[in-house]
Amino acid sequence: QVQLVESGGGLVQPGGSLRLSCLASGFNNYAMSWYRQAPGKERELVASMSSTDGTTKFSYADSVKGRFAISRDNAKSTVYLQMNSLKPEDTAVYYCRADSYYTTYLLWGQGTQVTVAS
């Protein structure tokens, strides 16, 4: 089974950048996503990537298109979320999620706090 360990959150000024990491052992058979949840709001999908038939598909929330990028390093068993041009409204707890390609099994990471403030 896959295990997810997130890191990389913190405090950053508006316009700054952060890179979140999700160490995902055993994630080769899973689609990987990043979600976020701001105080008082529902958890929302930020970015996802899935690889089937040798092709990789990416999806981004409209609010982060052009600023965020999801990627994976298979050698390091890690999924990244590069976040640029951060805005105060990006402040949230960010969660990594793994969805099995073959079953309904999914797993959430523990979350990492991102705060964008001057």
Side-chain angles (χ1 to χ4, degrees):
Q1 287 185 343
V2 65
Q3 294 184 341
L4 307 177
V5 180
E6 298 141 341
S7 61
L11 174 64
V12 63
Q13 292 186 343
S17 297
L18 278 176
R19 188 178 74 164
L20 305 183
S21 299
C22 176
L23 178 60
S25 59
F27 76 158
N28 289 334
N29 296 318
Y30 293 80
M32 301 300 298
S33 306
W34 286 95
Y35 283 72
R36 68 185 181 187
Q37 187 167 19
K41 295 187 177 181
E42 294 186 353
R43 193 172 297 188
E44 62 174 354
L45 177 64
V46 175
S48 66
M49 63 184 302
S50 61
S51 300
T52 57
D53 298 328
T55 61
T56 301
K57 297 180 180 179
F58 298 90
S59 179
Y60 295 93
D62 288 342
S63 59
V64 306
K65 283 181 180 177
R67 300 189 298 121
F68 290 13
I70 186 172
S71 63
R72 65 195 293 165
D73 185 332
N74 291 333
K76 296 183 178 180
S77 298
T78 301
V79 177
Y80 301 101
L81 183 68
Q82 179 66 44
M83 305 185 295
N84 300 324
S85 301
L86 283 161
K87 305 175 182 180
E89 51 263 43
D90 295 318
T91 295
V93 178
Y94 284 72
Y95 298 89
C96 182
R97 169 172 153 170
D99 289 82
S100 171
Y101 289 130
Y102 307 111
T103 72
T104 58
Y105 179 78
L106 64 88
L107 182 66
W108 291 96
Q110 82 284 359
T112 185
Q113 176 70 46
V114 172
T115 302
V116 184
S118 54

